[in-house]
């Protein structure tokens, strides 16, 4: 019960901190449903739905099964109130116009190797968003409820210049796809939340093209969370994405630093980065005041590969290789266009977009080994 209240309280607090847009109000309604069904809280489910709402489910493969919300809530009164029942949920998308909205959520039940997709129709009634109908279907899945937090930047330009930059789309996609195939849920956080700039998009690459037209994936990039919306206790690892944007807004952000170090120190989780994303870890400090990178072998985009004298480079607040070495780290790298990954305890770093997949695989291997050892 305590764990449940902490999560609900955090979600409520998070949505108070951010502006109460219609989207965030709809999100609260969907989260009432998600948390109510995950923690056997029928009163939260009732709060999310219009009293006369129906759920349209499937029975006997093809038979439509209409369940009134009054009946549906009774399904969650048979177990201990507030006790986690193994269901985890994730909002995939929200779309609204005036007083009507649609939403989509993923519900994962690892014990049954099952993934549900819920589709909601909502309406604003007496200034409150209510679910007026829900339909769902399921499929077999290896989804395991483990979550990875991708850290991305809102910076559209190099520093104060008008030189455009962005987050490396290829680095995002290569790692994201690897985690998803392994059953992980991936969330995105940026300093300001919301949409982020993207760079290095190559539509001749089949994987990049696949995700470019994946509505749920692109919704997540358009609606990244801000640090106030992140509960570090939910994550097994953080992963800093590269691209020129990674040099700005991320390394000095105290809230993101706290999230990363909470996961690393209190949850014994993994801190990882790739390419210029390594800039995000150079200033991280442990509770005893030591730099995270001190005494560790680190990889990332090396200073030696930067274009000396280039205008973009004049905007850099620091240099990755130099700063890591100044902070007591050992920086290693390979020739250009080589896959290079360094694993030093729970710090895993990669050199470039080609290394993104392999950084993700090392994280998964590390986490799987923990499960086996336990």
């Amino acid at each position: 019960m305590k764990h449940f209240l902490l999560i609900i309280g955090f979600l409520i607090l998070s949505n108070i901190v951010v502006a109460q847009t219609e989207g965030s109000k709809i999100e609260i309604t969907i989260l009432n449903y998600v948390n109510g069904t995950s923690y056997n809280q029928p009163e939260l489910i009732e709060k999310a739905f219009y009293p006369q709402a129906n759920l349209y489910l499937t029975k006997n493969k093809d038979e439509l099964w209409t369940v009134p919300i009054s009946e549906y809530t009774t399904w969650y009164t048979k177990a201990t109130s507030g006790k986690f029942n193994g269901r985890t949920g994730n909002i995939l998308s929200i779309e609204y116009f005036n007083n009507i909205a649609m939403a989509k959520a993923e519900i994962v039940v690892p014990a049954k190797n099952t993934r549900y997709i819920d589709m909601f129709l909502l309406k604003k009634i007496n200034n409150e968003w209510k679910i007026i109908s829900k339909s769902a279907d399921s499929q077999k899945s290896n989804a395991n409820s483990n979550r990875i937090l991708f850290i991305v930047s809102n910076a559209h330009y190099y520093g104060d210049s008008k030189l455009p930059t962005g987050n490396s789309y290829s680095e995002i996609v290569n790692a994201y796809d690897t985690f998803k195939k392994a059953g992980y849920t991936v969330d995105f956080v940026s300093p300001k939340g919301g949409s982020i700039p993207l760079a290095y998009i190559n539509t001749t690459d089949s994987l990049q093209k696949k995700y470019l037209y994946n509505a749920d994936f692109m919704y997540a990039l358009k609606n990244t969370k801000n640090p106030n919306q992140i509960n570090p206790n939910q994550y097994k690892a953080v992963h800093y994405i590269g691209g020129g944007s990674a040099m700005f807004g991320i390394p000095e952000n105290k809230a993101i630093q706290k999230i990363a170090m909470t996961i690393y120190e209190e949850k014994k989780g993994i801190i990882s980065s790739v390419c210029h994303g390594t800039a995000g870890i150079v200033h991280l400090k442990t509770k005893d005041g030591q730099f995270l990178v001190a005494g560790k072998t680190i990889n990332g985009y090396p200073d030696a590969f930067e274009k000396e004298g280039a205008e973009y480079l004049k905007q850099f607040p620091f240099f990755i290789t130099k700063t890591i070495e100044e902070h007591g780290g050992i920086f290693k790298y390979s020739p250009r266009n080589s896959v290079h990954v360094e694993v030093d305890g729970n710090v895993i770093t990669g050199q470039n977009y080609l290394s993104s997949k392999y950084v993700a695989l090392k994280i998964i291997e590390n986490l799987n080994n923990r499960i086996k050892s336990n």
Side-chain angles (χ1 to χ4, degrees), residues 63-184:
E63 182 183 347
L64 179 64
W65 182 23
T66 304
V67 180
I69 187 58
S70 57
E71 177 184 341
Y72 181 71
T73 54
T74 65
W75 297 1
Y76 297 91
T77 60
K78 301 170 185 177
T80 303
S81 178
K83 184 177 180 180
F84 180 57
N85 57 27
R87 290 168 55 101
T88 59
N90 186 44
I91 298 174
L92 298 179
S93 66
I94 293 173
E95 184 177 348
Y96 63 91
F97 173 77
N98 289 340
N99 293 323
I100 58 174
M102 296 184 296
K104 183 179 180 181
E106 172 189 66
I107 305 296
V108 172
V109 187
K112 296 182 179 179
N113 296 317
T114 301
R115 173 180 181 259
Y116 294 90
I117 292 295
D118 289 351
M119 304 287 286
F120 307 92
L121 184 63
L122 301 96
K123 188 166 180 60
K124 196 174 184 181
I125 302 168
N126 296 325
N127 208 35
E128 285 189 294
W129 285 99
K130 297 291 184 181
I131 301 169
I132 58 176
S133 71
K134 189 202 92 165
S135 188
D137 211 337
S138 65
Q139 62 180 178
K140 289 298 178 183
S141 171
N142 68 339
N144 53 37
S145 296
N146 290 327
R147 304 179 88 92
I148 307 294
L149 184 63
F150 279 27
I151 299 174
V152 289
S153 172
N154 300 110
H156 287 70
Y157 302 98
Y158 284 96
D160 296 326
S161 76
K162 291 300 179 182
L163 297 171
T165 188
N167 298 273
S168 174
Y169 182 74
S170 56
E171 291 174 22
I172 294 172
V173 165
N174 290 343
Y176 181 92
D177 184 69
T178 304
F179 283 120
K180 293 298 287 186
K181 285 178 178 176
Y184 287 77

Side-chain angles (χ1 to χ4, degrees), residues 30-324:
I30 303 301
L31 287 174
N32 282 334
Y33 157 75
V34 169
N35 287 289
T37 55
S38 294
Y39 291 88
N40 304 307
Q41 293 283 321
E43 65 275 14
L44 274 182
I45 304 172
E46 290 174 354
K47 188 175 181 180
F49 283 83
Y50 183 67
Q52 282 73 50
N54 287 324
L55 289 79
Y56 298 95
L57 310 176
T58 304
K59 196 172 188 178
N60 300 326
K61 293 185 178 180
D62 297 319
E63 182 183 347
L64 179 64
W65 182 23
T66 304
V67 180
I69 187 58
S70 57
E71 177 184 341
Y72 181 71
T73 54
T74 65
W75 297 1
Y76 297 91
T77 60
K78 301 170 185 177
T80 303
S81 178
K83 184 177 180 180
F84 180 57
N85 57 27
R87 290 168 55 101
T88 59
N90 186 44
I91 298 174
L92 298 179
S93 66
I94 293 173
E95 184 177 348
Y96 63 91
F97 173 77
N98 289 340
N99 293 323
I100 58 174
M102 296 184 296
K104 183 179 180 181
E106 172 189 66
I107 305 296
V108 172
V109 187
K112 296 182 179 179
N113 296 317
T114 301
R115 173 180 181 259
Y116 294 90
I117 292 295
D118 289 351
M119 304 287 286
F120 307 92
L121 184 63
L122 301 96
K123 188 166 180 60
K124 196 174 184 181
I125 302 168
N126 296 325
N127 208 35
E128 285 189 294
W129 285 99
K130 297 291 184 181
I131 301 169
I132 58 176
S133 71
K134 189 202 92 165
S135 188
D137 211 337
S138 65
Q139 62 180 178
K140 289 298 178 183
S141 171
N142 68 339
N144 53 37
S145 296
N146 290 327
R147 304 179 88 92
I148 307 294
L149 184 63
F150 279 27
I151 299 174
V152 289
S153 172
N154 300 110
H156 287 70
Y157 302 98
Y158 284 96
D160 296 326
S161 76
K162 291 300 179 182
L163 297 171
T165 188
N167 298 273
S168 174
Y169 182 74
S170 56
E171 291 174 22
I172 294 172
V173 165
N174 290 343
Y176 181 92
D177 184 69
T178 304
F179 283 120
K180 293 298 287 186
K181 285 178 178 176
Y184 287 77
T185 295
V186 175
D187 292 329
F188 295 88
V189 65
S190 62
K192 298 178 182 178
S195 62
I196 58 170
L198 300 171
Y200 312 114
I201 299 175
N202 177 10
T203 54
T204 62
D205 181 286
S206 59
L207 187 64
Q208 292 189 42
K209 187 174 182 179
K210 168 188 170 182
Y211 280 104
L212 188 64
Y213 294 106
N214 182 310
D216 296 340
F217 174 73
M218 295 307 292
Y219 179 90
L221 295 183
K222 183 181 177 182
N223 296 274
T224 66
K225 301 177 186 297
N226 67 56
N228 289 328
Q229 293 174 290
I230 297 299
N231 180 354
N233 295 322
Q234 294 181 324
Y235 298 96
K236 301 291 185 181
V238 296
H239 182 56
Y240 288 81
I241 295 296
S245 289
M247 298 295 300
F248 308 96
I250 296 293
E252 72 276 18
N253 189 284
K254 299 298 183 183
I256 290 178
Q257 289 177 0
K258 184 176 181 180
I259 290 168
M261 293 310 295
T262 298
I263 293 170
Y264 180 77
E265 293 189 304
E266 297 181 16
K267 305 302 295 182
K268 308 303 179 187
I270 294 168
I271 288 179
S272 66
S273 66
V274 67
C275 202
H276 284 91
T278 297
I281 75 171
V282 301
H283 297 312
L284 295 178
K285 287 186 176 182
T286 58
K287 288 179 179 178
D288 60 6
Q290 299 299 309
F291 285 107
L292 172 71
V293 299
K296 291 184 174 61
T297 302
I298 304 296
N299 183 229
Y301 196 79
D303 297 351
F305 290 176
E306 302 289 3
K307 297 178 182 178
E308 187 175 351
E311 287 300 314
Y312 81 88
L313 197 58
K314 297 175 183 177
Q315 296 294 325
F316 274 22
F318 58 87
F319 294 99
I320 294 174
T321 304
K322 179 182 178 183
T323 307
I324 286 173

Side-chain angles (χ1 to χ4, degrees), residues 332-348:
K332 289 187 177 180
Y333 65 97
S334 296
R336 291 179 184 273
N337 300 318
S338 300
V339 173
H340 188 133
V341 177
E342 289 290 342
V343 180
D344 197 323
N346 285 352
V347 178
I348 301 175

